[in-house]
Amino acid sequence: MQALDGGGWLASQYAGESILTLRKCLSLGRRRINFYLDCKRAYEERLIADGLQVEMERQTVVRGKSDLQKKARQLSEGKVLIMAQWSPGDDLDQRISRLSPDAVEAVTIPQVR
């Protein structure tokens, strides 16, 4: 993937720029900024290993399906932060007791009139 041209599609001055790996991206943010990773599909082992290797586990929060979050917690021995999604009408207490998230994303859907 790093051999691909990641910038030429945008403008000629960016031609030849490589695509950042997750590990490189996280290492650039270390001690500077926090990351929110919304994981639709992920290789949990690689995701966790990259975050732990660059010591970003307290600066990265992972959101995805509950099975991915549970796996992230297990693989990182509880070091990786996870964020659950919650909507009004869902049982917040149940969600918290099931996942023990570090953060909750509140999703509200506007009423259609």
Side-chain angles (χ1 to χ4, degrees):
M1 218 167 90
Q2 292 197 279
L4 297 174
D5 180 358
W9 64 272
L10 180 63
S12 60
Q13 69 258 34
Y14 302 116
E17 288 290 328
S18 62
I19 298 171
L20 286 179
T21 63
L22 177 61
R23 185 180 303 160
K24 180 66 175 173
C25 184
L26 291 175
S27 68
L28 289 172
R30 188 170 173 234
R31 295 192 180 111
R32 296 173 57 190
I33 194 163
N34 297 332
F35 284 88
Y36 160 61
L37 302 177
D38 188 355
C39 303
K40 304 292 188 242
R41 288 184 233 160
Y43 297 104
E44 297 93 349
E45 292 85 359
R46 182 70 183 266
L47 175 80
I48 301 309
D50 284 352
L52 294 174
Q53 186 170 22
V54 296
E55 299 176 345
M56 283 290 291
E57 62 273 8
R58 303 312 290 174
Q59 286 178 255
T60 305
V61 63
V62 175
R63 189 179 85 71
K65 293 185 178 184
S66 60
D67 55 335
L68 179 133
Q69 292 175 326
K70 287 178 183 179
K71 184 118 184 205
R73 269 275 160 83
Q74 178 186 21
L75 292 169
S76 71
E77 299 175 351
K79 295 176 185 171
V80 168
L81 304 174
I82 63 169
M83 179 166 45
Q85 189 175 37
W86 171 79
S87 299
D90 288 349
D91 186 339
L92 182 59
D93 291 330
Q94 182 184 38
R95 178 88 33 135
I96 291 170
S97 67
R98 193 167 36 104
L99 292 173
S100 299
D102 300 287
V104 174
E105 175 187 20
V107 178
T108 58
I109 301 170
Q111 298 270 330
V112 177
R113 295 179 188 205

